[in-house]
Amino acid sequence: SAKDTNIIGPVKDFDHRTLAGKRRKLAQTKAPEAMMTLLDTALRAGMNADYVLFDSWFSNPAQITAIHSKGMDVIAMIKKSSRIKYSYCGEQLNIKEIYSRNKKRRGRSKYLISVDVMVGKENPIPAKIVCVRNKANRKDWLAFICTDTTLSEEEIIRIYGKRWQIEVFFKACKSMLNLIGECHSLSYDALTAHVAIVFTRYMLLATEQRQNEDQRTLGELFFFLVDEMADITFSRSLGILMDALMASLQEILKLSNEQLTAFTADFEARLPEYLRNAFHPKAAVA
């Protein structure tokens, strides 16, 4: 803790250049600043990423623009705070105001609204906000922000879903790998060493599971097996649907072959080019 009154156990002075000193300094740093420090450490170690995912705890314009300046895009959950503003249609609005001003998509849509905004005050950057229904409470909604505006709404939701693996990891470490109850030391160094040992246990078990249960470890043989079970092509499935439609029209409306041919030609003429090409793939190639 940054407060002396909250510190339990013996207090030692460490050279700030040592690992112990750096570790204590990081522990007394505010969470958003600590996240940026850890991100810089990962980048210096040679780790690269297209997207940085995080939940609403770290989601604020300053954090988002700082990460974007490092050459990575952000996909994060947004806080429903009235103090955090985004530039939308020439106005500074919070997420609740943006949500209330837009018409919601109905039916089985995976998202409710999708809008383009500008994030940040000094050097604003473009971003996309996507709102979805809260599965835990259908009357509630959640909002995500993505600085890669070329991504579709479905892809933003799918990529953010990968963050759930972090929660599964911590749950496994706490419930099954003794992260909480095994070490009772008051030494900060002992506690951090214990965390490293538990995480190493998880990595060893995950590697073992991958080798023994994941069929992808068969290498090229796995991909040969996948190729043999290739899904039906788009053009073939479209042809099956059209054949079923023609059969229904002929059966119910008693249309002649000439009428069916005229109907098919008129129907295809109204389709976009990529669908017409799917009906006649050989002609499209030629």
Side-chain angles (χ1 to χ4, degrees):
S1 174
K3 296 181 180 180
D4 294 336
T5 55
N6 292 339
I7 297 177
I8 302 174
V11 179
K12 299 179 181 178
D13 291 328
F14 292 90
D15 189 328
H16 294 297
R17 294 171 296 179
T18 64
L19 181 60
K22 292 178 181 178
R23 188 179 290 149
R24 282 163 173 76
K25 182 180 178 182
L26 186 62
Q28 294 176 331
T29 304
K30 292 182 178 179
E33 297 175 16
M35 188 190 85
M36 296 304 298
T37 302
L38 293 172
L39 190 59
D40 288 335
T41 302
L43 292 173
R44 286 197 299 269
M47 298 181 185
N48 296 309
D50 294 324
Y51 305 101
V52 179
L53 314 179
F54 47 85
D55 61 13
S56 58
W57 181 267
F58 300 99
S59 183
N60 60 74
Q63 201 88 344
I64 292 170
T65 54
I67 294 174
H68 189 265
S69 67
K70 296 180 183 295
M72 294 176 289
D73 283 302
V74 167
I75 300 179
M77 186 179 290
I78 296 177
K79 293 178 182 177
K80 292 182 183 177
S81 171
S82 58
R83 294 181 296 176
I84 299 178
K85 306 282 188 178
Y86 306 92
S87 179
Y88 175 65
C89 294
E91 297 182 76
Q92 291 294 317
L93 304 175
N94 61 50
I95 184 58
K96 292 181 180 179
E97 292 170 332
I98 293 174
Y99 182 81
S100 64
R101 291 193 181 190
N102 284 272
K103 184 179 180 180
K104 317 305 181 290
R105 293 165 63 94
R106 297 182 178 277
R108 295 183 176 271
S109 176
K110 290 187 177 181
Y111 63 95
L112 296 172
I113 67 168
S114 174
V115 296
D116 293 324
V117 298
M118 297 296 290
V119 184
K121 294 182 179 180
E122 296 181 359
N123 298 303
I125 59 173
K128 181 185 289 187
I129 291 178
V130 180
C131 296
V132 302
R133 289 184 180 87
N134 186 350
K135 290 184 178 180
N137 180 5
R138 300 292 293 178
K139 294 182 180 180
D140 191 21
W141 52 276
L142 305 172
F144 305 107
I145 189 167
C146 176
T147 56
D148 183 357
T149 56
T150 63
L151 279 183
S152 67
E153 291 77 11
E154 290 80 4
E155 191 69 0
I156 292 171
I157 297 168
R158 185 191 69 81
I159 294 175
Y160 183 81
K162 292 179 176 292
R163 203 195 67 81
W164 184 248
Q165 297 173 11
I166 300 171
E167 307 296 344
V168 175
F169 162 70
F170 281 120
K171 178 64 176 177
C173 289
K174 291 176 182 178
S175 301
M176 291 175 278
L177 300 179
N178 297 324
L179 177 62
I180 296 177
E182 189 175 41
C183 181
H184 300 281
S185 175
L186 294 180
S187 166
Y188 187 71
D189 294 301
L191 290 171
T192 53
H194 169 65
V195 172
I197 291 171
V198 172
F199 287 3
T200 303
R201 288 175 186 163
Y202 183 93
M203 288 186 283
L204 291 172
L205 291 171
T207 302
E208 188 69 16
Q209 182 187 36
R210 162 94 178 180
Q211 294 295 333
N212 292 329
E213 298 182 11
D214 195 332
Q215 296 299 321
R216 287 173 294 181
T217 56
L218 294 173
E220 193 172 2
L221 178 60
F222 169 78
F223 293 102
F224 281 136
L225 293 172
V226 171
D227 289 339
E228 289 182 1
M229 298 184 292
D231 291 335
I232 187 170
T233 62
F234 174 72
S235 59
R236 177 60 182 150
S237 60
L238 195 60
I240 293 173
L241 291 173
M242 282 300 299
D243 290 341
L245 176 63
M246 294 299 104
S248 295
L249 287 173
Q250 196 167 26
E251 178 69 24
I252 298 173
L253 301 180
K254 308 300 182 182
L255 299 180
S256 64
N257 290 334
E258 292 77 11
Q259 289 174 315
L260 280 177
T261 302
F263 171 82
T264 304
D266 182 73
F267 178 74
E268 289 188 15
R270 298 173 186 273
L271 294 176
E273 184 178 359
Y274 76 95
L275 285 177
R276 292 200 300 270
N277 293 338
F279 276 119
H280 309 287
K282 293 183 179 179
V285 173

